[in-house]
Amino acid sequence: MKYAMVLVNIKGLGVKTFSYLIPDEMKDIIKIGQAVLVPFGRQGLINAFIVGFSEYIPGDFKVKKINKILDETPLFSIKYLKLLEWVANYYCTDFVTVLNAALPMKLIEKNAKYELVVSYIKEDNKLTKRQKEILECLKKYKKCSLIEFENIAKTTRATMKKLEESGYVEIREEYIYRNPLSIFKDIETEPLYELKGEQIEAYEGIKAKLKSQNPILLHGVTASGKTEVYFKLIKDVIDTGKNVLFLAPEIALASQLTKRLARKFGIKDVAIWHSSISEGEKYDVWQRLYKNEIKILAGARSAVFAPLQNIGLIIIDEEHEGAYKQTTPAPRYDARVVAKRLAQFHQAPLILGSATPDVSTYYYATNNNNLFEMKKRYNDSPLAKPQVINMQEYGKASYKGIISKPLQTEITETLERGQQVILLMNRRGYSTYTQCKACGTVIECPDCSIPMIWHSSIKQLKCHYCNKEMSFPDYCPSCGNASLATSGVGTQKIEVLIKELYPEAKVERIDSDILTRKNAHIELLNRFQKGEIDILVGTQMIAKGLDNPNVTLVGVLSADSGFSVPDYRASERGFQLLTQVAGRAGRGEYKGKVLFQTYNPDYYAFQTAKSQNYEKFFETEIKSRQEFDYPPFSQIVRLIISSENNFRAEKSAMEIAMRLTTMTEKFGFSEYLETLGPTPCIIEKLNGYYRFQILIKNKLSQKGHDFISKFLGKIIMPKDIRLAVDVDPLDIL
Ligand code: ADP
Ligand code: ZN
């Protein structure tokens, strides 16, 4: 091969590929994935990566030579690039966009770290008692950063130097991997639990299916012991010398999981990967993964792109969570879809787990005979049956119209027993809208077509989409009367009301407004776990993962708020949220209670959530999906066309839709593809951009998909109009 395609990261331009000539002396050793130095314009020599080879280059221009191979060991493989190419095609985006999301930027710049390292050599009886203690301690570590060891053993540099001079230890400078797990280094390992009852059945059933090309679903109620089943399967896989990728939907859950894994499998074999570990740590974990030094990688969405070698099993826990899908920026990938492809590449099984599976996942698992169920909690503690408080009846007698009498009574009794309470309010902020009592005008964000929300903590109105803030207007912008008032309820108001009702209780709030403080969320969850908080108020962020046996009451303040959104997945999301949050109650030895406050007690998704009956919910839901040709009976590709100029956006959307329809007919795809729209998006204006959408429904045909991908690849948009392509969108708002 004559030319190499290399990837460079240029300030201001991002990641791009260029062609370079391969000098003769490099021809035998050059490989895909190697880091190289290349000359680049006025910047001189810069770092680059080999991503491909070719005999020819398009056009007739002079290309420069690669200057040097920096490291002969590649950092990714051809297989890896093939996966990224597949992702680019599936999500109708270009390869470089995917590379950009997958590769940590620092990988392209050298970023190693050298440190003093101490290791154990020998002991004898010439040692003092204290020296002996130090060596005993060092033995446990084999090798350790000197600074860290001095801390652990509570000793000094002078003492260590003395030990070195007498030949008991060795100290030298070494390349050190930054290990984001060092916080867990004192963790004691413990054996795996023996599985019991339903766990054994699920485990054996799954074992018999490990050759399956299709995802395996473990549908187990909250606290049925799914994680322990995964652990057993992991053990089997790593015993055969293969590696495991384990995904959790968000960083906090991935950290909890990593800790559990480190306890079971030892810290040395486990690594963590998510968007918040530092670039330096990413660089190091990447190297260790590529060198096959890690057996279990736990992480959030982006870990699906980490170069774990020799994969023998992929597990995705809480698979129904929207967080597995990247909504912005492109590539708008779903880690579950990428993981399925990755599993096929490695001929490894993919296990999806949830108490409330995605409707499509459940549908496919049933059809493929790949469904395993655990219906009881591990410790037999019963699932709390939610009690419904019809607010049409109880509303008037409740505290400020918001906290009903029965809920107040339950909170009081729970606190008296010294137990803990979770209150879910799925809207943040203080109120939900600000309205003029005289003319009915609602104050909207000037850039987005949605109401501004009052935040009492910052004393500002705030837009939840673009974060714009403004002070509370004295007069209505429409009629000029001084009669503006806030209405509706958000988490901040609940927090205030609860503090008024229970002045003695320790009350905290968790929602994305507190996330401005790094780790605030994890800290609060930890304090709640330790019993330092009595009542936790929050959005759906508190519905996930909490395993606190002392929580015996869960109250949902406005249980219908999730269902009223005009989106085909609204019922599914509402059902999942209510079932998940109900599952936080009574996980230990004490019985749990769950109260749903609602104005629509008869709605089906609500009724099934109340009885925690997934099958019943699924039956009704899948019928309506089939009737309207929604997933899993079709695949949706959503196009959003937006511009600061309303008319330009609409015109452009119309042109695209027209061309799409014409081409579909011309090439004979009408049977598979249906184009809907353009229509204004439900959120018509966002960040100052007017939005129109086109939905393409594909009746699950690969040819249809390839056609869409090609069609979109050819569209060139004018500068003032944006086109966003979202394959399998989470919502269509
Ligand atoms: P899930 O993942 O289904 O929510 P977990 O696996 O976290 O449930 O199990 C819930 C609790 O029960 C955990 O504290 C777990 O350690 C414990 N547990 C589950 N299975 C066993 C077992 N076989 N032996 C002992 N404890 C178990
Ligand atoms: Zn806004």
Side-chain angles (χ1 to χ4, degrees):
M1 285 294 159
K2 208 166 159 204
Y3 302 100
M5 258 129 67
V6 308
L7 190 74
V8 292
N9 183 20
I10 306 155
K11 276 199 191 80
L13 271 181
V15 174
K16 292 252 178 311
T17 54
F18 294 93
S19 292
Y20 281 85
L21 204 60
I22 308 172
D24 283 339
E25 70 274 14
M26 288 183 198
K27 286 212 161 117
D28 291 335
I29 45 169
I30 201 158
K31 281 199 197 101
I32 284 191
Q34 280 170 340
V36 294
L37 273 183
V38 296
F40 196 88
R42 256 176 276 157
Q43 300 184 34
L45 292 175
I46 60 169
N47 288 311
F49 268 109
I50 310 282
V51 291
F53 300 112
S54 66
E55 207 57 67
Y56 306 97
I57 47 165
D60 178 27
F61 54 92
K62 206 168 165 293
V63 290
K64 294 186 184 135
K65 269 191 204 164
I66 293 175
N67 179 279
K68 190 180 172 194
I69 296 177
L70 285 172
D71 191 348
E72 282 194 30
T73 325
L75 283 170
F76 49 81
S77 61
I78 297 177
K79 220 182 188 177
Y80 182 76
L81 291 181
K82 283 246 148 55
L83 176 75
L84 301 193
E85 251 170 69
W86 183 88
V87 172
N89 182 52
Y90 185 90
Y91 288 103
C92 304
T93 182
D94 58 298
F95 181 61
V96 173
T97 303
V98 179
L99 265 172
N100 232 329
L103 294 183
M105 285 308 106
K106 272 281 153 48
L107 209 58
I108 303 185
E109 296 137 33
K110 268 257 174 247
N111 190 23
K113 187 183 172 199
Y114 288 86
E115 219 182 272
L116 287 176
V117 169
V118 55
S119 49
Y120 174 89
I121 296 181
K122 62 166 188 187
E123 275 167 86
D124 57 32
N125 39 26
K126 282 184 231 144
L127 289 163
T128 66
K129 187 163 160 260
R130 177 69 190 132
Q131 285 175 324
K132 237 195 175 95
E133 275 170 19
I134 293 171
L135 283 169
E136 278 307 315
C137 180
L138 184 58
K139 249 197 211 163
K140 279 197 285 192
Y141 293 89
K142 278 196 213 137
K143 198 157 74 181
C144 187
S145 137
L146 184 57
I147 294 181
E148 268 186 40
F149 182 74
E150 285 164 1
N151 264 328
I152 295 166
K154 304 203 172 46
T155 179
T156 60
R157 184 63 50 95
T159 314
M160 294 309 293
K161 278 269 177 236
K162 223 179 228 155
L163 284 169
E164 185 199 13
E165 278 155 23
S166 326
Y168 296 109
V169 303
E170 185 185 20
I171 297 176
R172 49 192 176 108
E173 197 169 60
E174 213 175 83
Y175 176 78
I176 278 277
Y177 290 134
R178 272 146 298 198
N179 183 357
L181 290 191
S182 52
I183 38 167
F184 299 147
K185 68 174 173 291
D186 293 328
I187 234 165
E188 300 279 334
T189 51
E190 58 179 39
L192 294 185
Y193 291 128
E194 283 293 323
L195 299 182
K196 301 200 311 193
E198 287 185 319
Q199 285 179 317
I200 301 177
E201 280 167 47
Y203 165 76
E204 308 251 307
I206 292 173
K207 280 229 79 146
K209 286 278 183 177
L210 291 182
K211 289 259 166 340
S212 178
Q213 288 283 304
N214 296 307
I216 297 164
L217 174 61
L218 179 54
H219 175 213
V221 298
T222 49
S224 53
K226 295 184 288 297
T227 312
E228 301 297 335
V229 174
Y230 304 142
F231 285 176
K232 200 82 172 166
L233 292 160
I234 291 174
K235 176 82 172 51
D236 294 347
V237 169
I238 58 178
D239 281 350
T240 66
K242 294 206 168 177
N243 302 328
V244 178
L245 176 64
F246 196 150
L247 301 187
E250 51 176 73
I251 294 169
L253 293 177
S255 308
Q256 273 180 28
L257 172 69
T258 310
K259 193 167 167 188
R260 236 167 126 177
L261 284 165
R263 207 177 275 140
K264 297 286 179 183
F265 298 98
I267 181 170
K268 197 169 86 353
D269 292 337
V270 180
I272 187 167
W273 187 280
H274 53 67
S275 55
S276 291
I277 62 171
S278 74
E279 287 289 327
E281 285 165 344
K282 273 186 192 161
Y283 177 85
D284 292 349
V285 175
W286 188 283
Q287 299 253 3
R288 289 170 64 210
L289 286 168
Y290 198 78
K291 292 179 185 157
N292 202 3
E293 292 174 3
I294 286 165
K295 295 205 173 101
I296 306 169
L297 180 68
R301 176 174 76 218
S302 60
V304 78
F305 289 125
L308 183 66
Q309 304 293 297
N310 197 17
I311 295 175
L313 171 65
I314 303 178
I315 297 166
I316 301 188
D317 196 24
E318 309 287 0
E319 66 89 30
H320 62 280
E321 285 289 346
Y324 283 118
K325 170 99 162 124
Q326 173 151 311
T327 47
T328 183
R332 297 179 171 81
Y333 70 95
D334 185 331
R336 297 175 308 168
V337 173
V338 181
K340 184 175 166 201
R341 188 67 189 176
L342 182 64
Q344 284 166 353
F345 269 148
H346 286 265
Q347 299 192 318
L350 168 62
I351 300 176
L352 304 169
S354 174
T356 51
D358 184 306
V359 167
S360 298
T361 307
Y362 193 85
Y363 175 77
Y364 285 120
T366 336
N367 285 0
N368 294 325
N369 217 355
N370 267 356
L371 172 67
F372 297 92
E373 304 201 85
M374 300 201 292
K375 304 206 166 193
K376 282 201 294 216
R377 280 184 165 168
Y378 155 73
N379 57 2
D380 278 331
S381 67
L383 285 171
K385 278 258 180 292
Q387 182 187 335
V388 175
I389 312 288
N390 184 351
M391 290 301 277
Q392 291 172 16
E393 230 172 276
Y394 285 95
K396 288 216 175 61
S398 57
Y399 187 61
K400 308 255 163 106
I402 295 164
I403 297 162
S404 66
K405 266 267 143 45
L407 182 58
Q408 289 177 41
T409 314
E410 291 296 341
I411 296 176
T412 309
E413 286 174 8
T414 309
L415 295 178
E416 276 167 9
R417 290 194 304 267
Q419 294 167 350
Q420 290 164 283
V421 180
I422 289 179
L423 295 178
L424 177 83
M425 175 68 230
N426 212 16
R427 281 215 184 91
R428 64 200 165 91
Y430 187 82
S431 63
T432 47
Y433 56 97
T434 298
Q435 194 172 29
C436 172
K437 294 262 190 252
C439 73
T441 297
V442 171
I443 305 285
E444 288 192 346
C445 169
D447 291 335
C448 311
S449 58
I450 55 159
M452 295 289 274
I453 293 177
W454 177 246
H455 281 240
S456 56
S457 52
I458 50 171
K459 304 237 176 318
Q460 291 276 313
L461 288 168
K462 193 167 166 182
C463 169
H464 279 190
Y465 284 85
C466 71
N467 285 326
K468 178 171 279 114
E469 290 172 11
M470 63 187 212
S471 52
F472 198 90
D474 293 327
Y475 304 100
C476 170
S478 204
C479 70
N481 279 307
S483 47
L484 288 167
T486 61
S487 314
V489 188
T491 42
Q492 290 183 10
K493 185 160 192 175
I494 302 293
E495 185 190 8
V496 170
L497 297 185
I498 290 293
K499 280 179 172 162
E500 284 169 13
L501 280 171
Y502 305 95
E504 311 281 290
K506 282 162 281 171
V507 182
E508 292 285 354
R509 170 173 60 87
I510 293 191
D511 54 33
S512 51
D513 288 320
I514 64 158
L515 290 187
T516 41
R517 285 181 284 137
K518 203 180 171 207
N519 291 335
H521 166 213
I522 299 174
E523 249 167 58
L524 281 174
L525 288 179
N526 282 341
R527 282 180 49 210
F528 187 62
Q529 203 77 15
K530 280 192 242 158
E532 292 168 15
I533 296 168
D534 300 315
I535 304 177
L536 196 59
V537 177
T539 56
Q540 32 85 23
M541 292 174 81
I542 57 173
K544 297 170 196 170
L546 265 181
D547 183 14
N548 182 344
N550 200 37
V551 173
T552 54
L553 177 63
V554 167
V556 182
L557 287 141
S558 168
D560 4 61
S561 66
F563 295 130
S564 51
V565 184
D567 183 67
Y568 81 92
R569 292 190 60 231
S571 307
E572 178 178 356
R573 271 195 299 267
F575 175 88
Q576 285 165 342
L577 178 59
L578 291 181
T579 312
Q580 290 286 345
V581 75
R584 303 303 126 204
R587 291 166 77 94
E589 51 182 308
Y590 315 113
K591 205 162 170 298
K593 272 219 169 148
V594 178
L595 264 60
F596 290 165
Q597 294 190 167
T598 175
Y599 284 94
N600 303 300
D602 296 327
Y603 185 54
Y604 83 91
F606 195 73
Q607 282 296 328
T608 47
K610 189 184 98 186
S611 54
Q612 309 217 359
N613 190 337
Y614 183 86
E615 284 80 7
K616 203 64 176 273
F617 164 76
F618 176 79
E619 266 171 38
T620 319
E621 182 66 21
I622 201 78
K623 276 199 200 108
S624 91
R625 299 280 179 99
Q626 184 155 29
E627 187 182 339
F628 298 104
D629 255 335
Y630 276 122
F633 300 98
S634 71
Q635 177 182 50
I636 293 180
V637 177
R638 183 192 195 201
L639 311 182
I640 299 176
I641 298 99
S642 61
S643 167
E644 286 172 309
N645 181 318
N646 197 0
F647 300 105
R648 298 260 309 143
E650 183 169 21
K651 184 161 162 271
S652 170
M654 267 161 41
E655 279 166 12
I656 293 175
M658 211 118 83
R659 195 138 41 113
L660 190 57
T661 316
T662 321
M663 300 281 266
T664 308
E665 275 166 24
K666 190 170 153 200
F667 290 99
F669 285 114
S670 315
E671 200 184 321
Y672 318 119
L673 301 180
E674 186 188 355
T675 302
L676 304 167
T679 50
C681 294
I682 290 166
I683 299 164
E684 286 181 38
K685 194 180 175 197
L686 203 56
N687 281 318
Y689 278 73
Y690 293 90
R691 306 159 80 230
F692 289 83
Q693 74 174 4
I694 299 171
L695 294 183
I696 311 170
K697 274 190 192 167
N698 174 9
K699 309 260 163 63
L700 308 178
S701 119
Q702 181 60 47
K703 271 198 215 144
H705 189 79
D706 293 343
F707 165 77
I708 298 171
S709 183
K710 229 184 245 148
F711 175 86
L712 294 173
K714 289 209 184 104
I715 292 185
I716 297 163
M717 299 299 288
K719 269 215 170 69
D720 62 330
I721 301 174
R722 297 180 188 168
L723 169 66
V725 180
D726 195 350
V727 177
D728 312 324
L730 269 191
D731 60 55
I732 46 178
L733 294 178

